[in-house]
Amino acid sequence: MAKLQPLETFSLQETEDGYRLLVSAVGGDNIYVSITSEQMDEIIDSLDTALTGEEETSGEDAFDDAD
């Protein structure tokens, strides 16, 4: 397993096909990754879950009695 390196910078650029993500580690090389809009949505959902500790539910289950 590769040694984890601290994040130095990241940037995100929108492209015609989705997004281009640049990540660099302290003392490491830059890594460019292309991601689709669907993958970006999954990343956002994962970050939200990690930060809030709650998994979002969808549909009617997300609501309590609305009476």
Side-chain angles (χ1 to χ4, degrees):
M1 180 175 201
K3 180 182 175 185
L4 293 177
Q5 298 175 323
L7 178 67
E8 183 171 34
T9 61
F10 77 95
S11 67
L12 186 67
Q13 296 176 337
E14 192 168 4
T15 66
E16 290 181 17
D17 299 327
Y19 299 91
R20 182 176 83 162
L21 177 65
L22 164 65
V23 178
S24 64
V26 174
D29 294 330
N30 294 336
I31 299 172
Y32 290 92
V33 181
S34 65
I35 54 179
T36 65
S37 295
E38 292 81 18
Q39 290 170 319
M40 176 57 85
D41 289 342
E42 290 175 20
I43 291 169
I44 291 168
D45 290 345
S46 294
L47 289 170
D48 186 48
T49 299
L51 293 173
T52 63
E54 300 176 5
E55 293 213 22
E56 185 175 323
T57 58
S58 61
E60 294 179 17
D61 294 338
F63 299 101
D64 292 330
D65 290 332
D67 294 347

